[in-house]
């Protein structure tokens, strides 16, 4: 009944906030004041270190969501204050539908009242609001200037709306102020579109470019965690593109401006794609942009923005050889660039050349511990398709020799099984891993890969032999879990040892692990017929750790 009335329940709040914030929110129920119910949301003030404003949606298809101007909430989190407001709403769930009806009635009444006002009464009301609200006056001045084609005022008003300084109280726009600033940027985009619609597209191009320049220079000083400023800036970029398509500005000048925007790697507020302007730029504009990108690459060969621009232009022209040559100038040691070249050639129907480039990547990156796995997969897939199973095994074997990991072992195992040669390959692979696991080799964090692969193979007898003096706690726990039914006594000894090591850490995650280990130990005692011994052990452990109330509650929850 409660959930149906407001669109969410306690479980939804706990899932959004997490256990810690939900528990803390319970302590703020008496700090909620000024609860105001709208048609689909509620607002309130929660008094904590300061008075924080909270807005909470009342559910819907996407479930509830909340916003709070406390520091934690400004990072996009569903904080304890949101929890407190949500719980307060649930307490008052029976009255919420009536309050929503009242909110709808107020909105309807306002609409009816405004509709009934005469022209002079409406003008008086607007003038009154303009006198009291500077932001509203600026927005209406912009609309008026656009309507009468006062281009100087339009430009000034657009730049005023784009200016973030009024929102930058401490030198930058904080998360809480970003939505208001984004609204102004969106209004600037609307004004630019209005100019284009009114036949003034040529006059909209310049202000749009200046607005995008300002946004690019200041975006790093804006906390746009929710992306609202970015969305509004994208609307300005769309307005610029629309104006260019109508006005048809000088293509070479436009090309130079676009190139500057793309090549400025600090300007990431809009993801301008020069190819969106291809119909406006024409051949001369595209050629000028390619020339600009080439000049930038000559000056700074490692400039990724210039390389990205050049790649986009060359790819759009369909010149595969030029694209291959461009990629070949800066081959990544991971093999990622070789793969990119191979994929481009394959898409162009040049499969033999594509495979040659991929194989070259494997040779040139053979000594790298971490090669791009996609390149290895690419070559192996082509070999497998051609029936070259032995070559697939050779590639996987070479990678395993360099990268002694569980994943590399699994890849070798799969390839060797397909080629019916796994037994011989496994002997050699395990020998190499045993050599790595020698105590005098040192230098490895965690337990040896040897134990991981034995566990992955299901070779538990060998894993038990190799684990002594070598395995880490993670591997011991995995080994015990897999052996609980067949070796309950050995597994029990592992669980007891791990419980002893887990006594010191605190926190929900640590306590959950203790409970999991105890449940496993209880299963072992049951298999051994020594459940009374487990009861004595558990009682002693609870006595030892009884001051940790959260641990005790977690153990109670698991029936321990």
């Amino acid at each position: 009944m409660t959930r149906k009335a407001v669109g969410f329940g306690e479980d939804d709040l706990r899932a959004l906030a997490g256990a810690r914030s939900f528990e803390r929110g319970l302590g703020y129920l008496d700090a909620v004041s000024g609860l105001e119910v709208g048609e689909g949301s509620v607002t309130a003030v929660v008094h904590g270190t300061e008075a924080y404003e909270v807005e909470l949606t009342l559910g819907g298809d996407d479930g509830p969501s909340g916003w709070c101007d406390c520091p934690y909430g400004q990072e996009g989190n569903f904080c304890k204050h949101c929890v407190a407001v949500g719980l307060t709403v649930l307490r008052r769930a029976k009255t919420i539908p009536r309050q929503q009806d009242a909110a709808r009635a107020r909105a309807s009444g306002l609409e009816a009242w405004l509709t009934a006002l005469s022209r002079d009464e409406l003008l008086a009301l607007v003038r009154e609001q303009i006198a009291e609200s500077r932001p509203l006056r600026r927005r209406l001045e912009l609309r008026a200037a656009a309507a009468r084609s006062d281009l100087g005022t339009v430009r000034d008003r657009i730049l005023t709306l784009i200016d973030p300084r009024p929102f930058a109280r401490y030198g930058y726009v904080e998360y809480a102020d970003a939505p208001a600033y984004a609204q102004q940027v969106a209004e600037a985009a609307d004004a630019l579109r209005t100019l284009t619609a009114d036949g003034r597209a040529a006059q909209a191009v310049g202000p749009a470019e200046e607005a995008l320049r300002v946004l690019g220079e200041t975006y790093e000083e804006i906390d746009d965690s929710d992306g609202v400023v970015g969305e509004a800036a994208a609307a300005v970029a769309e307005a610029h593109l629309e104006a260019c398509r109508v006005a048809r500005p000088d293509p070479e000048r436009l090309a130079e401006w676009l190139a500057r925007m793309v090549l400025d790697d600090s300007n990431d507020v809009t993801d301008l794609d020069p190819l969106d302007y291809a119909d406006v730029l024409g051949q001369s504009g595209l050629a000028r942009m390619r020339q600009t990108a080439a000049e930038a690459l000559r000056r700074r060969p490692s400039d990724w923005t210039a390389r990205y621009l050049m790649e986009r232009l060359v790819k759009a022209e369909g010149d595969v050889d030029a694209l291959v040559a461009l990629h070949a100038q800066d081959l990544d040691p991971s093999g990622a660039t070789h793969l990119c070249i191979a994929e481009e050639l394959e898409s162009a129907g040049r499969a033999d050349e594509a495979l040659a480039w991929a194989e070259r990547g494997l040779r040139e990156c053979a000594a790298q511990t971490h090669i791009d796995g996609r390149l290895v997969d690419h070559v192996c897939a082509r070999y497998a398709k051609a029936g070259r199973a032995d070559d697939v095994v050779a590639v996987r074997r070479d990678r395993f020799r360099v990268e002694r990991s569980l994943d590399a072992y699994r890849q070798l195992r799969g390839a060797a099984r397909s080629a019916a040669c796994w037994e011989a390959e496994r002997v050699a692979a395990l020998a190499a891993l045993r050599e790595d696991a020698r105590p005098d080799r040192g230098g490895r964090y965690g337990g040896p890969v040897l134990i991981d692969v034995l566990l992955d193979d299901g070779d538990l007898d060998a894993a038990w032999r190799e684990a002594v003096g070598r395995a880490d706690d993670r591997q011991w726990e995995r080994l015990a879990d897999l052996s609980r039914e067949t070796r309950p006594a050995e597994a029990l000894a592992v669980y007891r040892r791990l419980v002893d090591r887990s006594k010191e850490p605190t926190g929900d995650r640590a306590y959950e692990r203790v409970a999991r280990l105890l449940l496993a130990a209880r299963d072992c005692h049951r298999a051994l017929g020594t459940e009374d011994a487990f009861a004595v052990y558990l009682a002693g452990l609870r006595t030892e750790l009884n001051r940790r109330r959260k641990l005790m509650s977690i153990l109670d929850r698991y029936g321990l």
Side-chain angles (χ1 to χ4, degrees):
M1 180 68 179
T2 298
R3 182 185 177 89
K4 183 178 180 181
V6 300
F8 61 85
E10 281 194 18
D11 289 343
D12 298 302
L13 298 177
R14 185 180 287 103
L16 283 169
R20 183 178 177 83
S21 288
F22 183 83
E23 294 296 330
R24 297 179 70 184
L26 294 172
Y28 280 82
L29 290 174
D30 294 334
V32 178
S33 65
L35 189 73
E36 183 175 340
V37 180
E39 291 186 57
S41 64
V42 297
T43 58
V45 174
V46 181
H47 299 273
T49 308
E50 299 179 15
Y52 297 116
E53 294 185 8
V54 174
E55 181 175 1
L56 195 70
T57 64
L58 294 178
D61 293 338
D62 297 326
S65 62
W67 176 88
C68 177
D69 63 357
C70 74
Y72 188 61
Q74 288 181 22
E75 294 176 0
N77 298 300
F78 196 89
C79 65
K80 59 189 177 185
H81 308 114
C82 291
V83 171
V85 173
L87 292 172
T88 301
V89 169
L90 290 174
R91 285 183 170 187
R92 306 180 186 181
K94 291 182 179 179
T95 67
I96 295 296
R98 184 172 67 252
Q99 290 175 285
Q100 287 180 293
D101 290 341
R104 280 189 285 269
R106 290 194 299 271
S108 177
L110 175 60
E111 178 67 23
W113 176 67
L114 289 172
T115 302
L117 291 176
S118 68
R119 178 178 181 276
D120 290 341
E121 288 171 327
L122 279 172
L123 285 173
L125 177 62
V126 171
R127 292 188 181 110
E128 176 187 329
Q129 296 303 311
I130 289 174
E132 295 178 356
S133 171
R134 182 179 300 176
L136 176 61
R137 185 178 73 246
R138 285 202 303 263
R139 292 195 292 271
L140 292 181
E141 284 173 349
L142 175 58
R143 291 192 179 187
R148 64 176 187 274
S149 298
D150 182 352
L151 302 179
T153 300
V154 168
R155 177 184 176 280
D156 291 343
R157 290 294 86 191
I158 286 175
L159 293 181
T160 299
L161 287 172
I162 295 293
D163 186 359
R165 286 175 295 181
F167 298 89
R169 291 177 290 179
Y170 305 105
Y172 59 92
V173 179
E174 295 181 303
Y175 175 83
D177 298 316
Y181 176 59
Q183 182 179 351
Q184 288 197 179
V185 175
E187 289 170 4
D190 287 340
L192 292 166
R193 283 193 290 266
T194 299
L195 281 176
T196 298
D198 290 344
R200 301 280 184 169
Q203 287 75 27
V205 173
E209 291 178 356
E210 197 160 355
L212 289 170
R213 178 188 62 79
V214 172
L215 285 164
E217 291 174 352
T218 60
Y219 190 63
E220 288 187 356
E221 304 301 322
I222 300 170
D223 183 353
D224 191 29
S225 299
D226 289 343
V228 291
V229 177
E231 289 179 7
V236 175
E238 290 170 4
H240 175 259
L241 175 59
E242 182 181 341
C244 288
R245 283 175 170 165
V246 175
R248 297 284 166 171
D250 177 72
E252 294 195 19
R253 188 211 67 80
L254 177 61
E256 291 174 0
W257 178 83
L258 283 168
R260 285 197 304 273
M261 290 293 289
V262 175
L263 293 174
D264 184 0
D265 57 7
S266 65
N267 183 5
D268 58 356
V269 63
T270 58
D271 189 16
L272 281 174
D273 187 347
L275 296 183
D276 288 341
Y277 292 79
D279 59 332
V280 181
L281 291 168
Q283 291 301 317
S284 63
L286 289 170
R288 179 67 185 122
M289 188 175 295
R290 182 166 175 174
Q291 180 184 355
T292 303
E295 291 171 354
L297 267 179
R298 279 194 294 271
R299 289 193 303 270
R300 293 182 296 173
S302 61
D303 186 345
W304 70 269
T305 56
R307 186 167 298 280
Y308 165 78
L309 177 57
M310 182 63 87
E311 285 177 12
R312 296 283 293 135
L313 294 169
V314 171
K315 194 167 185 177
E317 293 173 3
D319 190 342
V320 176
D321 290 319
L323 188 58
V324 169
L326 179 63
H327 285 310
Q329 292 174 10
D330 187 23
L331 295 172
D332 192 280
S334 72
T337 320
H338 297 82
L339 173 63
C340 186
I341 292 173
E343 290 175 337
E344 292 293 345
L345 288 168
E346 192 166 73
S347 296
R350 296 158 63 175
D352 291 342
E353 294 174 74
L355 182 57
W357 263 101
E359 291 172 328
R360 173 181 166 181
L362 288 185
R363 290 194 303 272
E364 294 181 354
C365 305
Q368 298 292 327
T369 303
H370 299 293
I371 192 173
D372 193 317
R374 297 172 304 162
L375 175 63
V376 182
D377 293 343
H378 179 94
V379 173
C380 289
R382 273 66 189 169
Y383 284 169
K385 186 176 180 180
R388 299 169 59 181
D390 291 341
D391 289 332
V392 177
V393 174
V395 171
R396 295 302 185 186
R397 183 194 304 125
D398 289 343
R399 287 315 308 159
F400 176 75
R401 286 171 179 169
V402 177
E403 182 188 347
R404 305 279 234 284
S405 67
L406 175 59
D407 185 60
Y409 180 86
R410 286 170 171 166
Q411 298 282 10
L412 174 60
R413 182 176 63 196
R417 282 178 173 169
S418 296
C421 61
W422 174 228
E423 290 305 318
E425 292 292 338
R426 183 173 188 263
V427 170
L430 292 181
L433 292 174
R434 285 193 179 92
E435 181 67 17
D436 290 344
R438 281 171 44 193
D440 59 329
R441 296 299 293 268
R444 176 177 173 78
Y445 177 79
V449 175
L450 172 64
I451 298 172
D452 288 325
V453 302
L454 291 172
L455 292 171
D456 202 62
D457 279 344
D459 192 347
L460 300 185
D461 291 338
W464 277 103
R465 289 194 301 270
E466 300 290 353
V468 178
R470 294 175 174 178
D472 62 14
D473 286 354
R474 173 188 59 83
Q475 292 171 329
W476 275 119
E477 185 174 352
R478 175 67 175 153
L479 181 55
D481 288 343
L482 293 172
S483 307
R484 197 183 305 170
E485 295 181 3
T486 57
R487 297 186 178 209
E490 290 97 324
L492 176 59
V494 171
Y495 291 132
R496 291 281 294 266
R497 184 169 67 251
L498 294 177
V499 169
D500 288 341
R501 293 183 184 179
S502 303
K503 290 179 182 178
E504 291 303 319
T506 59
D508 288 2
R509 182 177 297 180
Y511 294 156
E512 290 284 348
R513 182 164 187 264
V514 170
R516 186 171 64 251
L517 292 169
L518 288 172
L519 288 171
R522 185 175 65 183
D523 288 344
C524 292
H525 275 288
R526 286 174 175 170
L528 294 167
T530 56
E531 294 178 77
D532 291 343
F534 175 74
V536 172
Y537 167 71
L538 180 61
L541 186 68
R542 291 186 66 111
T543 300
E544 179 185 352
L545 303 176
N546 66 350
R547 288 191 175 184
R548 300 185 188 182
R549 295 182 180 178
K550 190 59 180 293
L551 173 60
M552 294 299 106
S553 67
I554 289 175
L555 295 183
D556 289 341
R557 174 152 49 89
Y558 284 104
L560 291 166

